[in-house]
Amino acid sequence: MKRTLLSIIITCQLFSCCNQESRLYLDELDLSAMSAGWGEVTACRSVEGNPLTVAGQVYERGVGTHAASTMLLDLKGRAVTFHSFVGIDDESGEKASVEFFVLADGWILWHSGLMHYGDPTRQVKLDVSDVKKLGLYVSDGGDGIGWDHADWLNTQITYNKSAPVPVMPVAAEPYILTPASPEKPRINGPDVYGARHGNPFLYKVPVTGKRPLTCVAENLPDGLNIDQETGIISGSCGSKGDYAVRIRAMNALGSDEKTLLIRIGDTICLTPPMGWNSWNCWGLSVDQQKVQAAVDAMVSSGLADHGWSFINIDDGWEADSRLSSGELPANDKFPDMKALGDHAHRQGLKLGIYSSPGTHTCGGFLGSWEHEEQDTRTWADWGIDYLKYDWCSYERIARDHSLTELQKPYLNMQSALMKIPRDIVFSLCQYGMGEVWQWGATFGGNLWRTTGDIVDTWNSMAGIGFSQDKCAPFTGPGHWNDPDMLVVGKVGWGPSLHPSRLTPDEQYTHISLWCLLSAPLLIGCDLSSLDDFTQNLLTNDEVIAINQDPLGKPAVKVKETSTGQVWAKPLKDGSMAVGLFSTGDRSPAGMFDWEGEARSDTVSVTWEEMGITGARSVRDLWRQKDVGTYNRELKFPVNHHGVMLVRLIETTR
Ligand code: GAL
């Protein structure tokens, strides 16, 4: 009897011990499984690394993230409860608004409703005992991801026996679509190039093909010469006019010919600028060595043979103080800017620089306030060809928030630039304030940023790219909408770099969309460590030709469904470039890959929707292959967040 009682007690204890619930905090899990639209997901800290704080209350435990954010947990059917507080972190701005969702196996279990900056936390307590996969999602509240710093606070899951584990997003393998350039010469680059009369002229004919290679040019205007070995056209042309220059490139395997229209007039940047900028990789850690490496890599990688020509130094190059003359001195980071300019020019490349109209740049270095003319003279002496002119610290000088005050610093810089006997591309970087696309050209802008800064997430890139419709009518030869720089390859905004967090499909979308939008193409990665995928992505001449089309008309959205968008861009030769994009199911459940399988969407568009009639032969631009003749509709399966980019060419019957 005694023994039976003892065994019952032991069995009960064992049973209750086995049934005992354990508790796991979200911040204990591997947070690399959580995505964020900006910044780094952080355990027990906000996305900017501050104590988790909502409506003044500090929380010890939790996870700081940024909309749009997802995390999928495999509960294995062993979890019992999910408990959390949620809120917008006090470090975000007043514009922040988000919505928190908890999903179970594809269904919404709970949502917070729209939350704004300053709102007290909301609490969620759920029985999750039947759930296999639990999704945590923070949406942007419907107004874009800007400022949306979101906190999961004190988030805990109780479970039996087997602890929940995060489902790691499967890293998609990069895949190469574009065939290598032929060994025979092929002349790439735009069909038209603009320069001002009397100023130094520099244009390197971009040619692919086996070296050695020779380039000759007929009908060059007086004052210009071509170096047959390098293909660099230089000199200075004193007479305005259009010159149809016949260019011929030859190597041992054959030759190629093309007419380049050189337009000597008042307008430069007749096609969107293409090049590299230091910001998205090096941030403020930029120095002369890194820029020189970019110059060299632009040439040695062959990118220059596809038309990439600007090497632009962003913030961080400046000295801490001016000379007594007011001039900008050389400094430890950039000991010899003129030598750098000469080095770039010898390779047929151009050098760009950055400044701000205020006393200081965004990075806290010297700005050009009250030194505009002096600085443009210095830059011209260094051989600068491009100026990115920011806004930072000017808001402290501006008298009010009027349009006149918004425009004033750009007017000042425009008149300073006009006094310089040099073609300097003028890039306005004030994030689209005052609808800059409406007036940027009047103030000498060759391009103007239409948005805040891009980062390497789908939400950032797609959020910017797919919202450029509004500024489309204001762009054209000489004047371009700038949705910010490219986030492909290795980026980092500082000394340490990481591969772009965009999936390969998202990177095809990024380049396709920027080309369709006639956007400036400024590579933001380390050029000296280009991988094969990135190199391939940046050297498809048929895709680049869409961007460099001389008509300069950007694509507009012709169709949008719950899972896709179609954008179409008219081209100079009467053909049309069309991007069929999978934007994915944007419902909360659509944010997750519940089954762990590769997803795709069917994207279609009819002739009627595009406003065209008649048969078109269709060319797949990434694969550089004709896919057939169509006369009513395009319909393709497109990888999740990917694109089918085609050119529709009218068939003559
Ligand atoms: C920002 C600008 C960035 C970068 C940065 C430098 O205002 O949008 O592209 O130039 O300043 O501090």
Side-chain angles (χ1 to χ4, degrees):
M1 178 67 187
K2 251 187 175 175
R3 282 184 66 165
T4 322
L5 197 63
L6 193 66
S7 71
I8 290 173
I9 290 169
I10 291 171
T11 317
C12 282
Q13 271 179 348
L14 266 177
F15 185 73
S16 83
C17 156
C18 295
N19 252 353
Q20 210 170 31
E21 281 171 20
S22 308
R23 178 188 313 273
L24 180 84
Y25 282 88
L26 184 64
D27 53 64
E28 295 174 281
L29 290 172
D30 180 352
L31 295 177
S32 60
M34 185 181 275
S35 71
W38 183 89
E40 293 294 324
V41 175
T42 314
C44 304
R45 291 267 153 184
S46 72
V47 75
E48 280 191 300
N50 298 312
L52 294 163
T53 314
V54 175
Q57 195 179 333
V58 178
Y59 290 77
E60 292 287 313
R61 304 209 67 154
V63 172
T65 185
H66 193 288
S69 171
T70 56
M71 188 177 196
L72 196 59
L73 295 168
D74 187 355
L75 303 187
K76 305 170 187 160
R78 293 295 190 164
V80 183
T81 62
F82 173 87
H83 183 199
S84 182
F85 292 89
V86 296
I88 292 179
D89 198 282
D90 286 1
E91 76 186 6
S92 49
E94 287 188 358
K95 293 183 193 152
S97 65
V98 303
E99 197 167 3
F100 291 82
F101 292 86
V102 181
L103 297 104
D105 300 316
W107 301 96
I108 297 174
L109 265 189
W110 177 86
H111 65 112
S112 62
L114 196 59
M115 294 188 73
H116 294 100
Y117 176 73
D119 285 352
T121 54
R122 290 186 192 162
Q123 191 178 10
V124 41
K125 260 185 167 172
L126 298 167
D127 174 354
V128 289
S129 39
D130 292 331
V131 179
K132 290 197 186 68
K133 286 203 182 131
L134 192 78
L136 304 182
Y137 170 51
V138 186
S139 82
D140 65 7
D143 61 354
I145 64 168
W147 312 100
D148 292 348
H149 301 214
D151 296 339
W152 293 96
L153 302 158
N154 239 333
T155 310
Q156 25 188 303
I157 299 170
T158 58
Y159 64 93
N160 271 318
K161 284 192 198 156
S162 188
V165 287
V167 180
M168 286 297 168
V170 186
E173 283 299 312
Y175 60 99
I176 284 178
L177 291 180
T178 303
S181 303
E183 299 241 292
K184 277 185 171 181
R186 192 168 66 196
I187 304 176
N188 304 308
D191 295 343
V192 57
Y193 181 79
R196 298 201 181 98
H197 65 287
N199 287 354
F201 183 102
L202 180 72
Y203 178 78
K204 179 180 158 71
V205 180
V207 190
T208 46
K210 199 170 160 56
R211 268 50 184 175
L213 206 145
T214 321
C215 241
V216 293
E218 271 169 35
N219 197 30
L220 273 174
D222 284 349
L224 300 190
N225 292 298
I226 188 164
D227 178 318
Q228 299 198 355
E229 236 173 76
T230 61
I232 297 175
I233 304 176
S234 61
S236 171
C237 174
S239 325
K240 285 188 177 183
D242 278 358
Y243 303 89
V245 177
R246 193 74 192 152
I247 296 174
R248 185 150 190 259
M250 295 150 284
N251 69 9
L253 301 165
S255 66
D256 189 27
E257 286 195 2
K258 160 170 177 157
T259 299
L260 171 70
L261 183 75
I262 294 186
R263 176 162 290 163
I264 305 291
D266 298 314
T267 313
I268 58 172
C269 251
L270 295 179
T271 60
M274 286 175 64
W276 174 86
N277 174 292
S278 58
W279 185 249
N280 289 355
C281 48
W282 303 123
L284 295 176
S285 74
V286 66
D287 61 31
Q288 185 161 337
Q289 245 185 336
K290 289 179 175 129
V291 177
Q292 173 125 355
V295 171
D296 296 340
M298 188 69 108
V299 177
S300 63
S301 66
L303 285 185
D305 301 335
H306 299 268
W308 300 92
S309 61
F310 284 97
I311 296 289
N312 293 348
I313 308 165
D314 208 285
D315 202 358
W317 65 269
E318 310 87 340
D320 294 328
S321 56
R322 289 178 181 270
L323 300 173
S324 54
S325 61
E327 272 171 30
L328 291 165
N331 60 63
D332 291 348
K333 293 172 289 182
F334 283 86
D336 197 342
M337 203 62 104
K338 167 112 179 62
L340 188 58
D342 290 345
H343 180 67
H345 296 151
R346 274 195 298 274
Q347 324 267 344
L349 301 182
K350 310 212 172 155
L351 190 67
I353 211 154
Y354 163 100
S355 190
S356 263
T359 53
H360 289 87
T361 67
C362 302
F365 293 96
L366 277 182
S368 292
W369 166 242
E370 290 187 328
H371 289 276
E372 292 83 356
E373 292 200 3
Q374 200 166 31
D375 285 356
T376 49
R377 280 198 299 272
T378 305
W379 297 332
D381 289 346
W382 290 345
I384 294 297
D385 306 290
Y386 185 114
L387 169 66
K388 172 173 172 182
Y389 205 42
D390 212 315
W391 169 257
C392 278
S393 87
Y394 187 80
E395 63 271 356
R396 280 184 250 133
I397 293 161
R399 268 176 303 180
D400 49 44
H401 295 293
S402 65
L403 199 54
T404 319
E405 277 298 331
L406 268 185
Q407 294 168 338
K408 205 192 280 175
Y410 300 101
L411 185 64
N412 287 343
M413 185 46 83
Q414 179 197 22
S415 67
L417 286 171
M418 279 305 149
K419 292 182 184 143
I420 296 298
R422 199 168 172 83
D423 289 356
I424 297 186
V425 174
F426 189 24
S427 151
L428 278 49
C429 176
Q430 45 82 293
Y431 338 115
M433 287 186 297
E435 305 205 322
V436 60
W437 45 90
Q438 306 228 28
W439 50 267
T442 324
F443 292 80
N446 297 113
L447 57 150
W448 43 80
R449 278 273 294 280
T450 53
T451 71
D453 288 13
I454 196 168
V455 293
D456 55 329
T457 65
W458 167 257
N459 284 289
S460 170
M461 183 277 290
I464 290 174
F466 289 117
S467 64
Q468 294 297 298
D469 240 6
K470 58 181 183 299
C471 12
F474 304 93
T475 214
H479 316 287
W480 307 102
N481 291 320
D482 174 9
D484 208 2
M485 300 172 289
L486 303 174
V487 279
V488 300
K490 289 204 183 92
V491 293
W493 293 269
S496 48
L497 307 180
H498 61 261
S500 171
R501 287 174 289 174
L502 296 180
T503 66
D505 283 309
E506 292 169 353
Q507 297 190 47
Y508 280 116
T509 286
H510 185 19
I511 303 295
S512 306
L513 189 52
W514 263 237
C515 285
L516 284 166
L517 293 171
S518 308
L521 298 179
L522 292 165
I523 304 168
C525 68
D526 176 16
L527 291 184
S528 37
S529 59
L530 276 182
D531 55 280
D532 290 349
F533 171 76
T534 313
Q535 164 100 17
N536 190 263
L537 196 64
L538 298 171
T539 51
N540 181 319
D541 299 300
E542 295 192 30
V543 173
I544 293 173
I546 300 305
N547 177 264
Q548 294 292 300
D549 186 72
L551 189 62
K553 266 203 171 289
V556 290
K557 183 163 52 183
V558 291
K559 183 174 179 181
E560 180 168 9
T561 67
S562 59
T563 56
Q565 292 195 20
V566 180
W567 288 63
K569 172 180 165 73
L571 301 168
K572 179 86 191 295
D573 66 359
S575 66
M576 188 185 237
V578 182
L580 296 100
F581 296 95
S582 145
T583 45
D585 175 356
R586 275 162 284 152
S587 71
M591 297 297 142
F592 298 91
D593 188 1
W594 299 101
E595 303 305 329
E597 283 166 6
R599 292 182 281 172
S600 73
D601 293 305
T602 299
V603 190
S604 68
V605 65
T606 62
W607 267 215
E608 201 182 343
E609 285 161 334
M610 289 191 288
I612 57 172
T613 52
R616 296 286 193 284
S617 98
V618 175
R619 185 157 171 88
D620 175 339
L621 296 180
W622 280 111
R623 293 173 183 80
Q624 300 187 342
K625 263 191 189 148
D626 294 332
V627 289
T629 301
Y630 294 67
N631 52 22
R632 206 173 310 130
E633 185 185 31
L634 298 175
K635 192 173 189 178
F636 299 107
V638 180
N639 291 351
H640 182 65
H641 287 179
V643 61
M644 177 75 174
L645 181 67
V646 295
R647 190 166 181 148
L648 304 190
I649 304 147
E650 219 162 333
T651 55
T652 41
R653 290 209 191 176

